Amino acid sequence: MLNIGCHLSSSKGYEHMGKEAVGINANTFQYFSRNPRGSKAKAMDIPDAQALVKLMKERSFAPLVAHAPYTLNACASDQGLREFARNAMKEDMANMEYLPGNYYNIHPGSHVGQGPEKGVELIADTLNQVLNPSQATILLLETMSGKGSEMGSTFEELRAIIDRLEVPEKVGVCMDSCHLYSAGYDIVNDLDGVLDKFDKIVGLERLKAMHLNDSMMPFDSRKDRHEIIGKGTIGLAAIENIINNPRLKHLPFILETPNELPGYAEEIKILREAYGS
Ligand code: FE
Ligand code: FE
Ligand code: ZN
C-alpha cells in the first residue's frame, strides 16, 4: 500500500489530525511541532497523543512527521538564536516521546554568510546537544533547495553533518522532491542516477520519508515554490515514477502542495490509483 498523507494543521490536536487524515484516505501526515513563528510550544496533551497512537495502530498508519518551524536556525551566527533553536528542538524531541517511532523533521539551517563549513560545524554541535541514544524518534534532515545560504541542498553537506554526530543512528533524511529539483538533482530525467548518488554519499538506509511536491520553478533554480501535483515543472509522470520506484515506494510520502483538504484528497486519490502494489 502507498503510504501517503499531507501537511495538516495541529490547531485542534493530535487525534483530530488522525481523523482528518483518515477522512482523506491518508495513512500518514505531517504537522508543525509548534507555531511556525517558533514561539513557545503548547503544553503536551498526553491523552490526546495517546488517542492518536491508538488510531494510528488501528488504521495501520505509516510513521508521521512532526516538522520543526522554518524559523529555527541551528547554524545562526547569533548565539542566542542558536540556543533558541537548540532548546526548541530539545523540547520538541521530548514531546515526540509520547508519539514513539515517528519522525521529527528539521531544515538544517542557513549559514548566513559564515560559510558552509562553519554551517556544518554549528548544525552538528546543535544536534549533538539535542540527540541522545535512548530517544524513540529519528530526527530527519530535509534536503533543501539552496536558496540564500541554506544548508542541506547537497548530499555532501548532509553527509558532512552526519559525520560529526555523536549518535548518528538517530538521524535520517527526508527528501523533498521540489527542493531536490530546484537544487539541481534531476529527478525528472534521471531519478535512478540521483538515488545512486544519494546512496553513495549518504546511504539509502538513512532515507526515511519524502515530501512530495511539484515545483513552480525550473530545474536548478535554487528557488523554493511548491506546486500542486501535476501542475508544475516536475509533472505527474515523474511523480508517479517516484512513488513507484523500488527504492522509494515503501516510504511515507507527505504532500506539501498549495491545497486545502479537498485538494489533498484529490491528489491522494490520483496517486493511490497510480501506485502499483
Ligand atoms: Fe520543510
Ligand atoms: Fe518540504
Ligand atoms: Zn519547500
Side-chain angles (χ1 to χ4, degrees):
M1 182 165 75
L2 175 63
N3 297 315
I4 190 162
C6 65
H7 189 94
L8 295 173
S9 162
S10 63
S11 61
K12 291 182 182 148
Y14 292 108
E15 189 185 20
H16 185 267
M17 288 188 283
K19 288 179 174 167
E20 231 168 31
V22 169
I24 57 173
N25 203 15
N27 63 333
T28 177
F29 62 90
Q30 174 177 273
Y31 63 97
F32 280 125
S33 60
R34 59 181 64 216
N35 185 299
R37 276 164 288 280
S39 57
K40 237 183 134 51
K42 270 191 289 186
M44 189 71 189
D45 183 340
I46 297 168
D48 186 31
Q50 287 168 339
L52 174 60
V53 169
K54 182 164 172 276
L55 179 150
M56 287 177 69
K57 194 174 258 177
E58 285 166 0
R59 298 277 180 166
S60 314
F61 267 40
L64 53 77
V65 181
H67 195 310
Y70 305 143
T71 44
L72 300 184
N73 188 358
C75 61
S77 55
D78 179 272
Q79 193 192 343
L81 290 178
R82 286 201 306 277
E83 277 169 16
F84 179 80
R86 184 234 297 156
N87 290 335
M89 288 176 191
K90 270 182 146 168
E91 197 177 50
D92 286 351
M93 283 292 278
N95 285 341
M96 290 302 288
E97 292 294 294
Y98 296 102
L99 298 164
N102 293 296
Y103 300 126
Y104 179 58
N105 177 75
I106 69 163
H107 292 181
S110 290
H111 68 68
V112 288
Q114 302 171 97
E117 293 78 17
K118 188 71 184 170
V120 164
E121 191 186 309
L122 291 174
I123 293 164
D125 283 352
T126 300
L127 294 183
N128 282 334
Q129 296 174 71
V130 168
L131 299 168
N132 70 65
S134 67
Q135 281 155 342
T137 303
I138 302 288
L139 181 147
L140 305 182
L141 300 169
E142 183 169 350
T143 64
M144 302 307 294
S145 64
K147 65 174 187 299
S149 65
E150 218 166 48
M151 300 288 301
S153 67
T154 66
F155 300 157
E156 287 81 1
E157 275 178 8
L158 297 173
R159 175 80 255 167
I161 295 166
I162 293 166
D163 278 341
R164 298 178 77 107
L165 297 178
E166 286 155 18
V167 267
E169 68 273 21
K170 293 294 170 188
V171 169
V173 171
C174 175
M175 284 184 170
D176 182 309
S177 56
C178 167
H179 301 173
L180 284 174
Y181 198 56
S182 290
Y185 290 107
D186 194 352
I187 54 171
V188 173
N189 299 300
D190 189 21
L191 177 61
D192 273 306
V194 172
L195 295 179
D196 287 345
K197 203 175 279 180
F198 183 87
D199 194 27
K200 198 163 150 253
I201 298 167
V202 178
L204 271 167
E205 69 285 355
R206 295 249 181 223
L207 182 61
K208 304 295 186 192
M210 185 143 184
H211 290 161
L212 205 57
N213 303 307
D214 213 323
S215 175
M216 288 185 189
M217 295 294 161
F219 176 66
D220 206 12
S221 61
R222 303 182 77 81
K223 294 212 172 74
D224 182 2
R225 296 282 302 281
H226 302 184
E227 181 55 286
I228 289 171
I229 302 296
K231 298 212 163 144
T233 53
I234 296 175
L236 184 58
I239 287 168
E240 289 182 356
N241 249 326
I242 290 173
I243 58 172
N244 284 298
N245 186 286
R247 290 186 278 182
L248 303 176
K249 62 184 305 179
H250 62 285
L251 295 174
F253 292 98
I254 306 287
L255 298 158
E256 301 174 310
T257 47
N259 270 312
E260 303 294 328
L261 279 182
Y264 282 132
E266 183 59 26
E267 286 178 332
I268 289 169
K269 183 167 174 279
I270 291 167
L271 294 171
R272 285 205 185 283
E273 281 167 8
Y275 187 73
S277 49

